[in-house]
Amino acid sequence: VLRLTDSGAGVDEPGARCRLGPPVPNPSRGTVAVSYTVTRTGRVRLDVHDLHGRRVRTLADAEQCPGTRAVVWDGTDGTGARLAPGLYLVRLRDTESSVARKIVLVR
């Protein structure tokens, strides 16, 4: 189940293993910083999707220990090609939950 959130807290469910911070800056003309928190050790995946649900870039995909991390997305797809301006979703998943936030790319 994909939960789209615009709150500053990310996943609000009790016992959630991950929280997704707001992308900064948003809208963006270039790079976007995305922070997330893992509360329990486990596999975590952070992807960028277009509005058709296609994954355009994977930003993180690994077993991770508890802690807060930040990654930077440069507005490109997995091949390094610059993506068109528009609305994208950054999605954080673990084995138990999924949360997403909107990112607006402008050029």
Side-chain angles (χ1 to χ4, degrees):
V1 173
L2 178 65
R3 288 188 55 225
L4 183 61
T5 179
D6 286 318
S7 72
V11 177
D12 299 318
E13 298 169 4
R17 288 192 355 184
C18 296
R19 287 186 293 277
L20 182 60
V24 178
N26 195 16
S28 174
R29 293 190 180 278
T31 60
V32 179
V34 179
S35 64
Y36 63 97
T37 302
V38 177
T39 60
R40 289 184 274 164
T41 299
R43 186 150 200 91
V44 174
R45 185 169 179 131
L46 184 66
D47 294 310
V48 179
H49 295 265
D50 65 17
L51 287 184
H52 297 288
R54 294 179 294 235
R55 183 176 54 238
V56 296
R57 181 84 183 261
T58 298
L59 303 175
D61 184 11
E63 187 84 11
Q64 296 187 2
C65 297
T68 299
R69 293 155 183 83
V71 296
V72 175
W73 178 49
D74 60 3
T76 62
D77 67 12
T79 67
R82 199 168 155 171
L83 292 169
L87 184 63
Y88 294 86
L89 298 175
V90 62
R91 179 181 182 193
L92 179 66
R93 291 184 300 163
D94 63 21
T95 58
E96 299 171 3
S97 62
S98 177
V99 63
R101 289 188 181 269
K102 296 179 236 176
I103 295 176
V104 178
L105 284 183
V106 293
R107 301 281 188 214

